[in-house]
């Protein structure tokens, strides 16, 4: 039953009325803003399991029903009918664009793809085996050393140019990281190509040959970027909001988000899934790995399974699973051992009591790596691909946060469990 307020009575009998805010969808939230002032206590919720950190109009998830909406539109409809640039516009500006709006946005993204040449030289300084996520977060952070005209976060007039620049340049930076790893020369962007075609061109073209864009690969990447574009207050988005709440420049805030995404519990899971499938190797070994995942004394988890919010199928995983079939077939792959192994693992895990009881279903990262691999993208680049898609979500949240008149610096409180006050002891007495 929905209520307008909750009353909390402390041990001394003093009561505080806590207002309840109602969203358009999802559970109501209790506003605890005056709790400390009136009751002298904080709330405690490590990992923010039951805490809303902000108001947002962008994305809605119903984890029990497996629903994901971007600005109210179901992900299935966007995956079926839209493209990444249109979805990016929707997330950023709140509405689907009309034709002139879409054309203007697309042109702006296409014409901001080049990097300052000085930034390209950074890549010479990285070790040959640097992880591409390390390069991505470093180079995106360094954009604040180049694009000074978009550093005043209080000037909304600069937000569009920052947005278009970062969306346009992310694929160029990612491709430069890939080329360093591959030991190949950097390939400059081509603005006559669309977003994903240009990415494939920068990834796979070499000066010695003419590169033919693989349309199936470009469409598959476009769909993956739509599915990854936003996911409300996840770890990396919350990191962007938290870093940005201090007034830090937006490039630094996005670089912080990239760093958060890298972790294996978050975007790094797509790379971890592939490595896990390689380690499992054969369907006969699956029971051994499932047993390890259930063993509390073993830190191993089934990567690509489980989600903080989805306690049902992740709708993105359902779309990607279907897409795996299509992409592999269209690429002429009849022998698909990695995909077959993933299907077998999914089947066994979904029948297992432990996974049923804990509502652990495959998430977005379980199948995406199989597609990336089929497209020839190296395993260490998988999380970079996720970052390219998610950047628009980070930017949409940063823009929403920075223009919110109620913005305050994010500054959580704590339950202190260290020593009580004690005196300094001089070295000769220790
Ligand atoms: N394998 C085995 N057990 C698991 C798994 C798993 N993949 N995920 C959760 N559990 C168990 C966990 O041990 C715990 O058991 P118990 O209640 O007995 O202690 C219970 O399920 C709840 O797990 P939790 O860690 O408290 O849940 P969480 O909401 O804090 O974590 C998660 C969510 C996604 C980090 C976690 O499910 C996980 O580590 N999954 C594997 C990594 C992964 O695939 N991450 C990608 C997430 S989706 C894309 C993204 O966010 O970027």
């Amino acid at each position: 039953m929905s209520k307008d307020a909750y009353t909390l009575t402390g041990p001394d009998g003093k009561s505080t009325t806590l207002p309840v805010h109602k969203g358009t969808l999802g559970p109501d939230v209790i506003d605890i803003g005056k709790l400390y002032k009136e009751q002298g206590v904080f709330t405690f919720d490590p990992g923010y399991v039951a805490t809303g950190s902000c108001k947002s109009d962008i994305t809605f998830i119903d984890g029990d029903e497996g629903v994901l909406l971007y600005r109210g539109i179901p992900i299935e409809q966007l995956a079926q009918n839209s493209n990444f640039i249109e979805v990016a516009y929707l997330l950023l500006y709140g509405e689907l664009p009309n034709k002139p709006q879409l054309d203007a946005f697309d042109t702006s993204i296409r014409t901001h793809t080049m990097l300052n040449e000085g930034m390209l030289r950074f890549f010479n300084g990285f070790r040959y085996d640097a992880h591409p996520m390390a390069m991505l977060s470093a180079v995106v952070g360094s954009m604040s050393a180049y694009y000074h005209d978009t550093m005043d976060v209080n000037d909304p007039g600069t937000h569009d140019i920052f947005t278009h620049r970062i969306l346009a340049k992310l694929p160029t930076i990612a491709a430069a990281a890939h080329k360093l790893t591959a030991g190949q020369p950097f390939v400059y962007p081509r603005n006559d190509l669309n977003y994903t075609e240009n990415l494939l061109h920068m990834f796979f073209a070499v000066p010695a040959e003419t590169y033919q864009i693989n349309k199936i690969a470009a469409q598959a990447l476009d769909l993956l970027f739509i599915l990854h574009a936003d996911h409300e207050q996840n770890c990396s988005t919350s990191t962007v909001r938290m870093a940005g709440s201090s007034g830090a420049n937006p490039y630094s805030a996005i670089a912080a988000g990239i760093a958060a995404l890298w972790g294996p519990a978050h975007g790094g899971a797509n790379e971890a899934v592939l490595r896990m499938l390689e380690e499992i190797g054969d369907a006969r070994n699956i029971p051994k790995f499932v047993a390890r995942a259930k063993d509390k004394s073993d830190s191993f988890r089934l990567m690509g399974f489980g989600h903080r919010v989805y306690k049902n199928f992740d709708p993105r995983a359902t779309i990607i699973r279907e897409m795996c079939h299509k992409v592999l077939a269209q690429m002429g792959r009849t022998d698909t051992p990695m995909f077959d192994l993933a299907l077998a693992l999914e089947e066994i895990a979904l029948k297992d009591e432990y996974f049923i009881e804990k509502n652990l279903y495959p998430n977005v990262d379980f199948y995406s790596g199989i597609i990336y691999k089929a497209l020839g993208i190296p395993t260490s680049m998988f999380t970079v691909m996720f970052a390219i898609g998610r950047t628009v979500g980070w930017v949409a949240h940063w823009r929403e946060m920075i223009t919110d008149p109620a913005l305050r610096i994010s500054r959580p409180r704590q339950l202190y469990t260290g020593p009580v006050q004690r005196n300094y002891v001089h070295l000769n007495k220790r």
Side-chain angles (χ1 to χ4, degrees):
M1 197 179 69
S2 119
K3 294 174 71 170
D4 292 331
Y6 281 75
T7 303
L8 187 112
T9 307
D12 58 0
K14 189 178 161 203
S15 290
T16 298
T17 301
L18 301 172
V20 167
H21 304 307
K22 294 176 190 305
T24 46
L25 292 169
D28 297 344
V29 300
I30 305 173
D31 184 338
I32 54 157
K34 60 183 178 182
L35 194 61
Y36 176 59
K37 208 165 154 203
E38 295 197 3
Q39 294 282 347
V41 292
F42 298 140
T43 54
F44 186 62
D45 182 21
Y48 304 105
V49 176
T51 299
S53 60
C54 62
K55 277 198 228 172
S56 183
D57 295 348
I58 303 171
T59 290
F60 174 75
I61 305 173
D62 182 333
D64 296 323
E65 297 297 325
V67 170
L68 170 60
L69 312 176
Y70 290 167
R71 301 283 189 182
I73 304 178
I75 191 68
E76 292 81 3
Q77 291 183 21
L78 292 167
Q80 177 82 37
N81 303 305
S82 191
N83 60 65
F84 177 64
I85 289 296
E86 186 177 69
V87 167
Y89 187 100
L90 171 71
L91 287 168
L92 290 166
Y93 302 110
E95 295 295 337
L96 286 168
N98 60 26
K99 181 83 170 75
Q101 287 167 330
L102 182 61
D103 288 347
F105 181 64
D106 184 51
T107 303
S108 183
I109 303 295
R110 282 180 194 240
T111 48
H112 283 90
T113 50
M114 283 175 65
L115 303 182
N116 182 297
E117 286 291 303
M119 286 174 69
L120 272 185
R121 286 193 286 276
F122 286 160
F123 287 90
N124 297 333
F126 290 114
R127 237 177 84 132
Y128 70 97
D129 57 354
H131 195 286
M133 282 298 278
M135 293 191 257
L136 192 73
S137 61
V139 177
V140 168
S142 80
M143 287 176 79
S144 54
Y146 284 88
Y147 302 109
H148 302 292
D149 56 335
T150 44
M151 301 276 278
D152 181 359
V153 301
N154 297 316
D155 176 4
T158 66
H159 295 176
D160 272 352
I161 180 68
F162 147 72
T163 300
H164 298 191
R165 252 184 206 149
I166 197 152
L167 288 186
K169 293 183 201 307
L170 238 280
T172 316
I173 297 170
H178 169 61
K179 287 299 193 188
L180 179 85
T181 310
Q184 293 176 2
F186 173 71
V187 172
Y188 283 87
R190 270 183 50 193
N191 295 351
D192 60 317
L193 298 174
N194 74 26
Y195 199 74
T196 46
E197 289 171 351
N198 180 44
L199 176 65
L200 288 169
H201 157 74
M202 291 188 291
F203 254 65
F204 296 121
V206 288
E209 286 172 17
T210 309
Y211 176 69
Q212 288 295 335
I213 306 287
N214 181 328
K215 294 277 176 194
I216 298 163
Q219 281 164 10
L221 272 187
D222 195 84
L223 180 52
L224 284 169
F225 290 163
I226 292 175
L227 299 177
H228 281 111
D230 193 41
H231 216 227
E232 50 115 310
Q233 311 311 322
N234 58 86
C235 175
S236 55
T237 303
S238 300
T239 301
V240 169
R241 279 184 176 265
M242 183 171 267
S245 75
S246 71
N249 74 73
Y251 302 106
S252 305
I254 301 295
I258 294 171
L261 185 76
W262 193 4
H266 193 8
N270 56 12
E271 178 177 342
V273 168
L274 232 278
R275 300 207 187 281
M276 175 189 75
L277 290 174
E278 279 164 1
E279 202 188 336
I280 296 175
D282 188 290
R284 280 172 299 194
N285 298 327
I286 291 174
K288 200 171 71 193
F289 281 84
V290 170
R292 279 187 63 195
K294 291 160 37 176
D295 179 356
K296 289 284 162 216
S297 63
D298 189 331
S299 62
F300 174 79
R301 284 185 168 199
L302 273 196
M303 299 314 286
F305 270 80
H307 197 274
R308 169 62 62 78
V309 184
Y310 293 119
K311 301 302 170 197
N312 196 327
F313 265 96
D314 177 340
R316 303 166 302 170
T318 310
I319 298 170
I320 295 185
R321 190 177 189 270
E322 252 175 55
M323 184 179 157
C324 262
H325 279 291
K326 267 196 217 144
V327 170
L328 293 172
Q330 284 172 329
M331 309 273 296
R333 302 279 298 273
T334 44
D335 179 27
T336 55
M338 198 62 91
F339 185 43
D340 299 341
L341 187 60
L343 287 174
L345 175 59
E346 182 191 81
E347 196 185 334
I348 292 174
L350 288 179
K351 283 188 191 141
D352 191 290
E353 207 40 55
Y354 174 95
F355 286 83
I356 294 169
E357 188 209 319
K358 294 186 190 303
N359 295 316
L360 299 170
Y361 291 89
N363 59 48
V364 68
D365 289 324
F366 189 64
Y367 286 111
S368 59
I370 294 168
I371 300 179
Y372 292 136
K373 198 175 160 67
L375 303 185
I377 292 165
T379 310
S380 64
M381 288 300 299
F382 291 0
T383 313
V384 170
M385 292 292 143
F386 191 154
I388 296 174
R390 182 55 56 86
T391 297
V392 67
W394 292 329
V395 173
H397 283 271
W398 180 85
R399 291 171 65 121
E400 185 178 65
M401 174 210 61
I402 211 74
T403 52
D404 182 350
L407 170 67
R408 298 179 76 183
I409 186 169
S410 289
R411 202 323 184 171
R413 308 307 289 255
Q414 65 168 5
L415 174 67
Y416 175 70
T417 54
V420 295
Q421 186 169 330
R422 55 192 175 142
N423 291 327
Y424 175 80
V425 178
H426 284 278
L427 186 58
N428 59 3
K429 299 241 172 82
R430 276 178 247 153

